[in-house]
Every structure is written in C-alpha cells, then in structure tokens.
Amino acid sequence: MDGSDVVIKVRDNGPYKITGPVTIVDAQDNRFDVPEGPIALCRCGQSQTKPFCDASHRTSGFDACERADA
C-alpha cells in the first residue's frame, strides 16, 4: 500500500476508520466536508453527526467485532 490507498478498518465496538483520499456524498450526490487525515464513520446509528462518528457508541452499548476470514 502506498499513501494514495484508501483503507477502511473495522474497529471493535466502534466506527469504521478510513484513511486515504475519499469523497463522501449523500443520496442526492451532495458532498460532505471531509476533514484532513483519518476519519471515522458511524456504525452504531446513534451519532448526532452522521455519517461521522461522535463516539456515541461508547455509551449506547454498541457491540460488533467482525473479523475477516484469514
């Protein structure tokens, strides 16, 4: 992998951590402002800043530890 690769990491009991250059659009093709550096996307559904994570998973009881087949 080089610096231009996009990597999506599934974090235990937390968000998707995305590193690399990405564009995020809504259902009407409007672009979200994406901060520089890694971003975290909500998986728990409780974030007040969807699609971005606001750490609500920590208090919502979200439980998910998926693993890829090795």
Side-chain angles (χ1 to χ4, degrees), residues 12-70:
D12 288 349
N13 304 319
Y16 292 117
K17 180 182 177 186
I18 300 161
T19 56
V22 296
T23 301
I24 300 174
V25 296
D26 67 14
Q28 296 178 332
D29 290 327
N30 299 307
R31 290 179 179 223
F32 286 93
D33 290 328
V34 178
E36 290 287 324
I39 60 170
L41 294 180
C42 178
R43 288 200 301 153
C44 74
Q46 301 302 311
S47 176
Q48 298 300 306
T49 60
K50 290 183 195 92
F52 304 102
C53 176
D54 68 359
S56 292
H57 58 276
R58 294 179 183 162
T59 58
S60 72
F62 182 68
D63 182 28
C65 295
E66 293 86 354
R67 297 289 184 263
D69 293 332

